[in-house]
Amino acid sequence: MSNINNYLTRSQYIIASGDYQPVIYRLSDTASKAALEELFEKGNVLFVHDEIYGQLQELIKSKNPSVKIKPQEYPELINAYLAGRNIQEYGVWVYYPWSKRLVHLLDEEEFIEVRTNRNQYKITKEEQQALRQKKVGVIGLSVGQSIALTMAMERMFGELRIADFDTAELSNLNRIRTGTQNLGLNKTVIAAREIAEIDPFLQVKIYSDGLTTDNIDAFFLKDGKLDLLVEVCDGLDIKIQSRYKARELQVPVIMDTNDRGMLDVERFDLEPSRPVLHGLADGLNPESIKGLSNEDKIPYILKMIGADTISTRLKASMLEVEQSINTWPQLASSVTLGGALTTDVSRRILLDQFHESGRYYVDMEELVKDEQTKKQGDTAIAINPHQPLQAAQVKQTAEAYLETIEVPAYIPSAQEIDQIMDAALAAPSAGNNQPWKWFYQNGTLLLFHDKYRSWSWGDYHEMGSHMSLGTAIENVHLQAAVAGLQDKVILFPVQDNAKLIAAINFQQVATAGADELALAKGIFTRLTNRKVGERKLLDPSFYEDLKHVSQIDGVEMFYVDDDQNLAELADIIAECDKVRLLNKLGHEEFYHEIRWNRDEALQTKDGVELASVDISQGEIAGFKVAGDWNAVELLTEWNKGNAFKKMSVKSVINASGMVLFTIPEFSNTQLLLAGRAVQKAWIRANQQGLAVHPMLSPAFFFSRLIHGKGVDLTAKESQNLLKLRERFLKIFPIANGPQRYEVFLMKVAVADAQTGPRSLRKDKNELFISA
């Protein structure tokens, strides 16, 4: 065993050896010959490869391309060529220290002549000679190794400088051309050895610490300025720094992304003031990038590589990073294609045959594909069956109704109605869709449901929209109290196509209720705060107060605040969110609600502005990638997608508690009442300094599952949701006793104040019509 240990220790030395330069011996030189003899005497040569005779055959053949030489003629031709010289001493002997191999080769000029013979006339001799003078740098050798080797095989340079700090790992061998004996070895050494074994006369300089601020000048300038830089590293810092240096020195840059055959060309030699990365790195420079965290860099990286144009499979894979895979995938076929593309374009740049900058694609899946194939995402998208509710329709319906009733005894002033309407329009709605239109005439206020605005696949039986309408009715009630008025609300039996929801008139009262006046103060400060917050328990009296203020016919409130139930509820909510995003209709609806920036929000004045959501730059970038349904559909096929659960889980486990509102029967009237109760509780929680965040996917999906018999859900989705609801009912005791239905779930938390923008509201004159 001790001998084995000794051998193993010795093998560790061999693995750690960084030799990468071959030693060339010419036996015509006495000192060189003596050195080779010493190499043999010390036992450092384990293998001898002598195929010089075959090389001489090729050399003679290459010099006589028009002559068909017969095999039996070669001995005489070779002897004549040698002219009495010893064949053993002809050419050179090349020793590779890392493998202890000695190889007999033609000397440099003859070696190059034979090795490049098959390049002609795709590359002429004159062009080959010109390329021999070129200096090329390659940064990053996971992808760059293929490029470096392809360039070496074409003999596209005289000197190559390669930089990478990393060592080979087993997972690299899916794309790096090397053997398992090189695991643990620096990638620059591996590449340099491969090139030396292809062509020992090529000059290769390695930078095994990668490109750094200390060596960047030497990399670009030592022993002559680079003629071309190939940048294929992972680090954003080096991408930026190397390009700034290349631009300063007017060195052209090529980048391969090994996805969709995408190739970037930046001709800083011809355009010295050109923005780096085609302007896609705007705002980044070698100094500003130093202060960015890895999280902050993600949006820049996606912008640079083109998040909208990367392949569907890469998008899907990126969504699984740190979920089911460690990092994004790279395939040998793509890396090898990149080696070919980069080498071809680089050669033409070096030979002054190509002069453009730009981004180019050689997408094999687009070039070579079935002519007739089912496209991903062929499932029909949901189409809104409604038409926008026009002012003329509202007025016609309103006047027809008003003709059937007497004018109320009290007619509010124009100012009172104006203030009441401001309050009504400040109400929350699902996805901030604002599904209402209001009409006022002669003391009566009418609420209409604009089904075009509220329609969504997720809103089964108009559950969310009716609760939204209920919150608006409650705001009218509260603001009326401020004006010293008592509202009288008439709810109409709601049928499938009915749009008139409620009629409200008013009468003066001597004293308004204290609860109403207190809650009214919070109408315009109520907001959704999606910040994660800090897990802090609230006194039970808080929840009792919520129950008190939100009390309304038929609506009952429940809450949970213990760690175990919150953890279980977090997973249930997260699974429901995942179901939504992995369902084509749910996915489409989710992205329809998002407003990516303030300009988008100002244009529509609805939806949810992303800046109001407490997520990181990396998560925002992930959402943008996930906007491609074809990529998400792959996750569905692969049974993946747990990344969609992260935000919900994090949010709920840090909550103070989760509050659930239930109703005794699933009817539109009860949903309106539930909306009123929710609005009261929401305002009160905000007034107590707490963050409120509705988390509705369980209630919406369970409604579709139970009341809609799983319509538009796959069997797999229905089965999953059924199990999730069983778990849900174990948390909230609504299954014990009289039947109740869960309709609204919200998080309350101790969190920092909302710093993002408040949700915008549409113009008043678009939603309110006064006769």
Side-chain angles (χ1 to χ4, degrees):
M1 180 63 73
S2 60
N3 287 337
I4 291 176
N5 288 336
N6 288 336
Y7 290 136
L8 292 175
T9 302
R10 174 61 181 165
S11 71
Q12 290 171 7
Y13 164 76
I14 295 171
I15 290 172
S17 171
D19 295 333
Y20 69 93
Q21 292 179 319
V23 183
I24 298 176
Y25 298 93
R26 291 179 174 85
L27 300 190
S28 59
D29 178 77
T30 303
S32 185
K33 186 175 183 178
L36 181 56
E37 288 175 351
E38 183 181 0
L39 203 63
F40 275 101
E41 289 169 0
K42 290 183 176 180
N44 287 331
V45 179
L46 297 182
F47 305 97
V48 176
H49 303 267
D50 188 355
E51 289 293 326
I52 193 67
Y53 188 87
Q55 295 169 51
L56 285 166
Q57 282 183 309
E58 286 194 273
L59 177 63
I60 291 169
K61 184 178 180 180
S62 70
K63 289 179 177 295
N64 300 277
S66 62
V67 179
K68 291 187 177 181
I69 303 172
K70 297 177 182 179
Q72 61 269 26
E73 294 175 337
Y74 277 111
E76 184 178 347
L77 291 171
I78 289 173
N79 284 334
Y81 189 80
L82 289 173
R85 290 170 289 188
N86 187 337
I87 193 171
Q88 290 294 321
E89 296 184 356
Y90 191 80
V92 297
W93 288 86
V94 181
Y95 178 64
Y96 297 100
W98 51 91
S99 63
K100 298 187 181 298
R101 294 179 185 275
L102 185 68
V103 184
H104 196 181
L105 299 174
L106 295 172
D107 211 340
E108 185 170 5
E109 295 307 319
E110 293 178 342
F111 178 90
I112 293 172
E113 181 180 350
V114 173
R115 199 175 81 74
T116 61
N117 183 54
R118 295 294 294 274
N119 286 356
Q120 298 183 70
Y121 286 100
K122 286 195 170 183
I123 304 174
T124 67
K125 283 191 175 183
E126 293 74 20
E127 290 169 341
Q128 201 81 64
Q129 187 62 31
L131 291 171
R132 193 172 172 180
Q133 311 307 313
K134 302 300 182 181
K135 297 176 175 64
V136 176
V138 177
I139 307 172
L141 289 171
S142 283
V143 173
Q145 190 218 34
S146 176
I147 296 169
L149 294 184
T150 308
M151 287 182 169
M153 284 189 279
E154 284 196 5
R155 217 167 202 283
M156 214 199 72
F157 55 81
E159 180 184 313
L160 180 70
R161 302 169 194 170
I162 52 179
D164 198 316
F165 63 86
D166 206 2
T167 57
E169 298 175 333
L170 184 58
S171 60
N172 296 146
L173 301 195
N174 78 317
R175 63 194 184 280
I176 292 181
R177 181 185 175 274
T178 193
T180 53
Q181 75 278 5
N182 286 327
L183 294 177
L185 199 61
N186 188 277
K187 292 175 182 177
T188 58
V189 173
I190 293 171
R193 288 179 177 180
E194 291 274 1
I195 291 170
E197 290 172 355
I198 293 168
D199 189 332
F201 302 106
L202 287 170
Q203 298 298 307
V204 179
K205 296 179 179 178
I206 70 171
Y207 291 76
S208 295
D209 293 328
L211 197 69
T212 67
T213 53
D214 293 332
N215 67 23
I216 190 170
D217 286 334
F219 184 83
F220 273 88
L221 295 170
K222 188 176 181 181
D223 298 326
K225 188 180 77 170
L226 287 179
D227 295 291
L228 176 75
L229 174 66
V230 177
E231 184 282 300
V232 281
C233 69
D234 292 336
L236 180 60
D237 306 53
I238 300 303
K239 285 183 181 294
I240 299 301
Q241 291 169 15
S242 63
R243 278 171 174 76
Y244 269 79
K245 177 60 72 172
R247 187 172 66 176
E248 173 191 332
L249 299 172
Q250 297 184 27
V251 175
V253 178
I254 292 184
M255 176 181 73
D256 165 63
T257 62
N258 67 93
D259 180 68
R260 294 190 63 217
M262 192 192 93
L263 197 73
D264 257 9
V265 182
E266 297 169 271
R267 295 304 302 267
F268 297 128
D269 54 327
L270 304 179
E271 305 170 77
S273 60
R274 181 179 181 81
V276 300
L277 282 159
H278 318 299
L280 297 174
D282 187 37
L284 289 183
N285 58 55
E287 291 303 315
S288 65
I289 201 171
K290 292 177 181 177
L292 295 180
S293 66
N294 289 338
E295 186 79 25
D296 293 333
K297 293 175 184 176
I298 291 175
Y300 288 102
I301 294 171
L302 288 177
K303 184 179 179 182
M304 288 176 197
I305 65 175
D308 295 334
T309 56
I310 60 178
S311 68
T312 301
R313 280 186 177 259
L314 183 56
K315 288 178 185 176
S317 300
M318 290 176 71
L319 296 171
E320 283 301 302
V321 171
E322 296 185 353
Q323 297 298 315
S324 60
I325 55 176
N326 294 319
T327 187
W328 60 80
Q330 295 172 297
L331 294 178
S333 54
S334 299
V335 170
T336 304
L337 175 63
L341 297 175
T342 304
T343 299
D344 179 273
V345 174
S346 296
R347 176 184 1 95
R348 290 188 283 129
I349 288 174
L350 293 172
L351 293 174
D352 197 30
Q353 297 169 351
F354 175 64
H355 309 91
E356 300 296 324
S357 295
R359 176 163 287 183
Y360 306 91
Y361 293 88
V362 182
D363 188 345
M364 298 304 294
E365 290 191 19
E366 283 298 313
L367 294 172
V368 184
K369 63 182 180 181
D370 291 332
E371 289 302 317
Q372 294 182 346
T373 182
K374 176 187 178 295
K375 294 181 180 179
Q376 289 177 316
D378 276 351
T379 306
I381 61 173
I383 298 175
N384 192 332
H386 304 286
Q387 294 297 318
L389 185 58
Q390 303 295 337
Q393 294 174 270
V394 170
K395 187 175 182 181
Q396 181 181 13
T397 303
E399 290 176 346
Y401 169 75
L402 293 173
E403 287 178 0
T404 67
I405 65 171
E406 295 182 2
V407 175
Y410 178 76
I411 308 294
S413 68
Q415 182 180 10
E416 288 171 335
I417 289 297
D418 195 52
Q419 291 172 344
I420 287 172
M421 283 314 308
D422 286 339
L425 299 180
S429 54
N432 190 31
N433 58 31
Q434 303 164 64
W436 38 65
K437 278 217 169 38
W438 293 88
F439 181 90
Y440 176 74
Q441 181 176 312
N442 292 334
T444 298
L445 189 61
L446 299 178
L447 171 61
F448 288 82
H449 181 188
D450 188 343
K451 298 192 177 194
Y452 179 81
R453 293 204 49 76
S454 69
W455 181 86
S456 72
W457 174 77
D459 189 16
Y460 178 75
H461 196 63
E462 300 177 342
M463 172 175 149
S465 51
H466 279 87
M467 286 191 288
S468 299
L469 295 165
T471 66
I473 291 172
E474 183 58 33
N475 274 9
V476 168
H477 170 72
L478 296 175
Q479 187 61 40
V482 174
L485 303 176
Q486 174 66 53
D487 58 313
K488 179 182 178 183
V489 180
I490 301 171
L491 298 179
F492 297 102
V494 183
Q495 300 173 358
D496 288 343
N497 296 317
K499 296 181 176 65
L500 180 57
I501 299 298
I504 307 172
N505 49 45
F506 306 90
Q507 61 184 29
Q508 290 180 306
V509 291
T511 306
D515 283 340
E516 280 79 2
L517 292 175
L519 289 172
K521 294 177 181 178
I523 289 175
F524 299 102
T525 57
R526 179 218 56 80
L527 53 73
T528 299
N529 185 341
R530 298 176 177 86
K531 287 187 175 294
V532 171
E534 181 182 351
R535 170 90 170 113
K536 288 184 179 179
L537 283 173
L538 304 175
D539 191 277
S541 61
F542 163 76
Y543 297 104
E544 293 306 315
D545 180 52
L546 278 196
K547 286 183 179 180
H548 168 71
V549 299
S550 64
Q551 196 169 22
I552 199 163
D553 290 346
V555 182
E556 189 171 357
M557 189 196 99
F558 300 86
Y559 76 93
V560 293
D561 64 353
D562 62 286
D563 290 341
Q564 183 177 346
N565 276 322
L566 285 181
E568 173 72 349
L569 195 54
D571 189 64
I572 293 169
I573 295 171
E575 281 288 343
C576 289
D577 288 342
K578 177 181 169 182
V579 170
R580 181 188 187 190
L581 285 167
L582 292 183
N583 179 289
K584 180 170 176 57
L585 299 174
H587 179 273
E588 178 194 0
E589 175 183 283
F590 176 84
Y591 279 91
H592 177 73
E593 292 176 359
I594 291 180
R595 302 294 175 263
W596 295 100
N597 52 55
R598 194 62 173 175
D599 287 341
E600 279 191 16
L602 287 169
Q603 187 174 10
T604 63
K605 294 185 178 179
D606 61 8
V608 178
E609 191 172 347
L610 206 59
S612 69
V613 182
D614 187 21
I615 58 176
S616 67
Q617 289 298 309
E619 288 168 330
I620 291 173
F623 268 120
K624 288 185 177 179
V625 171
D628 183 344
W629 167 249
N630 289 333
V632 174
E633 187 177 29
L634 285 175
L635 298 183
T636 304
E637 292 176 8
W638 300 339
N639 196 29
K640 302 299 180 183
N642 281 337
F644 296 134
K645 297 174 58 176
K646 285 175 59 178
M647 288 174 52
S648 300
V649 168
K650 183 179 178 182
S651 182
V652 176
I653 63 175
N654 285 289
S656 296
M658 296 295 297
V659 176
L660 176 70
F661 291 88
T662 67
I663 54 179
E665 62 178 19
F666 196 73
S667 67
N668 288 333
T669 297
Q670 279 295 314
L671 289 169
L672 289 166
L673 294 174
R676 297 191 64 174
V678 165
Q679 181 70 343
K680 291 171 182 282
W682 195 333
I683 292 174
R684 178 55 63 91
N686 279 172
Q687 288 177 327
Q688 297 295 320
L690 295 171
V692 174
H693 178 193
M695 306 189 84
L696 301 177
S697 59
F700 277 42
F701 271 123
F702 296 162
S703 169
R704 178 174 293 274
L705 181 70
I706 301 305
H707 306 293
K709 309 300 181 185
V711 61
D712 291 332
L713 296 172
T714 65
K716 183 178 179 181
E717 288 170 338
S718 294
Q719 186 177 22
N720 184 25
L721 289 168
L722 190 60
K723 292 178 180 177
L724 290 172
R725 188 168 190 261
E726 289 173 357
R727 291 166 59 188
F728 185 87
L729 295 179
K730 291 179 181 178
I731 298 173
F732 292 104
I734 61 175
N736 304 326
Q739 180 67 60
R740 302 199 66 80
Y741 300 102
E742 62 277 17
V743 293
F744 196 94
L745 183 66
M746 69 184 192
K747 180 191 83 171
V748 291
V750 177
D752 294 336
Q754 176 73 22
T755 53
R758 292 177 64 94
S759 295
L760 297 174
R761 294 294 187 269
K762 288 190 168 293
D763 294 339
K764 192 174 184 178
N765 58 11
E766 184 178 342
L767 302 175
F768 175 52
I769 303 162
S770 180

